[in-house]
Structures are given as C-alpha cells and as structure tokens.
Amino acid sequence: MSLDLLQEWEGRPVRDWARSWEIPLLEVHGALDSTNDRVRRLADAGCEAFTTVTAEEQTEGRGRGGAGWWSPNGGLWASVLVEVEAGARGELLPLVAGLSLARAVVTASRGEVEPRIKWPNDLQVGERKLAGILCERSGEGRIVVGVGVNVDFGAVKAPAELAGVVTALSEWCTEPPTRAALLGSFISSLRAELPLSDRLARPQLEELDRLDVLKGRSVEGSAGVRGVAEGIQSDGSLCLRVDGGHTSIRSGSIRLIDERPTGPASGRGRKSWTWS
C-alpha cells in the first residue's frame, strides 16, 4: 500500500513532535484508510508502545460496531498503541481514554470547553457529540486506542443526517485549538493513567462521576433495558435503577430517553459536523 506520509505537520517537522512527546514513532498521513488499522499493522511488525498515527482525513474511518465515521480534513483522527499488563481489565480503557481526552480538550482549549462523558466511549458538549473513542485489541496485551475529535471543518459540508447530532470545537472556542495541542495533551494524560488495573481507581471514579452526562437521566440500552442511570461503577459498567431494583450494563450503546434541547450556548463559530 502506498503511504501518503507527511514530513511536517502543524508547523513543525513530524519527528520533532515525536521527540517532544517522548513517543517512539509518529506517523502523519495526508489521507489514510484508518489510523487504527495502520497502528495494528505497525503492531504486527513489532512497533513499541505509544506508537502513534494520525491523518488529515480517513477514507474508511469507523466507530464502534463497525459504524461509519465521517472524518474529513479538519478533525483530529489519531490512534495510539498501548500495552496492558496481565490481570488488567482492557474493558476499562475506553473510559480511561475518555478521561484523558476530556482533559486534553480542556487544556488545548485553554479552559473554554469542558466536555462531558457519555458512557461508554463518547464526549459531548451541549448535548451533542464532540468526540468518540474506539479501542481494539492488537495481539496479546496490546490495544489500539483510536480517537476522533471534531475540531474545525470550515466550509466542508457534512451529511444532512448529522445536523443537530454532533458539534465541533470551533462552535465553542474563541479560536479552535491545534490538533497537535490536542494530541500531545492526550498522549501525556493517557500515559499518566497507565498501567490499567482490574478496577477504576477512586480518583478516576470521582472524575467520571463529575463528568457523567447520563447520571440521573432516563436511558435505554441497546438490549432494550430501560432505567435511570446512576453512574459508572468501578468495573466500568453503567448502573441503572430499574423497576424492582438495579441492573448493570457492561457493553453496548445507550440512548437518552429524556432528550434535552441541543445546540451551543451562543451563535459563535461555524456549524461543523462529523460522523460519530
């Protein structure tokens, strides 16, 4: 496969970004089928942990369950290889990565945006999706962490069905952060959260509780279970209050039943959408 590799990105040589972030390899592509797939190919070839791939656009980007992910120029599409020790619960990684990405958005936006976390793997602002996370195993003890953040798509037109569903940082920031600022901050925060354990730590649970967009709201799981979300538990599951008691959802997706009005708090910025 012919690679569209860039030598400079966001105003600096690519190798300088890799050196400043203390990662073994950074690849930046003009266009790529999937950053997750590229990291998996590199992992098969024996690359080191924290090898990172990003692309200006993906031609075959995907979300959970193989859903399409519209990822044109103007977003951050990146994947990082991490190692998971024996006994750790890899299922916790989407939540840990979500915390890391939420912190990165706050840092890179200079505090203008603090996204909320929607179990199990999304970030929201103003009831709309800002970012998503896709974690895929790549051999024993290795997981590819893919992130997609809607930054600023300018005049790029998104599919009509995404209007009102997603949002971009350009809608909420005086000036959207650079993708390099987002990616560097994400890598730093993710590294600080590793290694994974078999349970989420108390500080992680407290931060998830503060950012939990579902807590106290009526929801429906993809298996049809309905109830009121009562928070994320230490094993990474979502606790629901249902008729007759409580139940836990360990996988799948969640739909809000008590949908609230969507949209930014102000009219600042352009409307920009991405598939998520």
Side-chain angles (χ1 to χ4, degrees), residues 126-164:
E127 300 295 325
R128 292 177 176 174
K129 183 180 288 191
L130 175 73
I133 296 161
L134 177 65
C135 295
E136 297 179 311
R137 291 194 176 271
S138 183
E140 186 66 29
R142 307 184 108 191
I143 299 178
V144 180
V145 180
V147 299
V149 185
N150 310 332
V151 182
D152 183 6
F153 301 118
V156 176
K157 298 284 275 186
E161 63 268 23
L162 300 181

Side-chain angles (χ1 to χ4, degrees), residues 236-257:
S237 63
L238 182 68
C239 180
L240 295 189
R241 184 174 74 250
V242 298
D243 290 341
H246 294 81
T247 189
S248 295
I249 297 180
R250 302 184 182 278
S251 62
S253 58
I254 286 290
R255 180 180 70 87
L256 280 168
I257 298 173

Side-chain angles (χ1 to χ4, degrees), residues 157-240:
K157 298 284 275 186
E161 63 268 23
L162 300 181
V165 176
V166 297
T167 190
L169 284 171
S170 57
E171 294 192 62
W172 303 90
C173 296
T174 304
E175 181 178 345
T178 67
R179 291 166 298 169
L182 279 168
L183 183 54
S185 184
F186 170 67
I187 290 171
S188 176
S189 184
L190 183 62
R191 180 184 281 121
E193 292 299 316
L194 298 177
L196 286 179
S197 180
D198 62 342
R199 296 275 169 175
L200 292 165
R202 180 176 295 276
Q204 293 170 328
L205 282 170
E206 290 175 349
E207 190 173 3
L208 284 168
D209 187 71
R210 181 175 64 84
L211 299 178
D212 188 352
V213 77
L214 298 177
K215 190 173 182 179
R217 302 176 69 177
S218 297
V219 301
E220 180 179 19
S222 53
V225 178
R226 287 192 171 203
V228 176
E230 292 201 330
I232 297 165
Q233 303 178 104
S234 62
D235 64 355
S237 63
L238 182 68
C239 180
L240 295 189

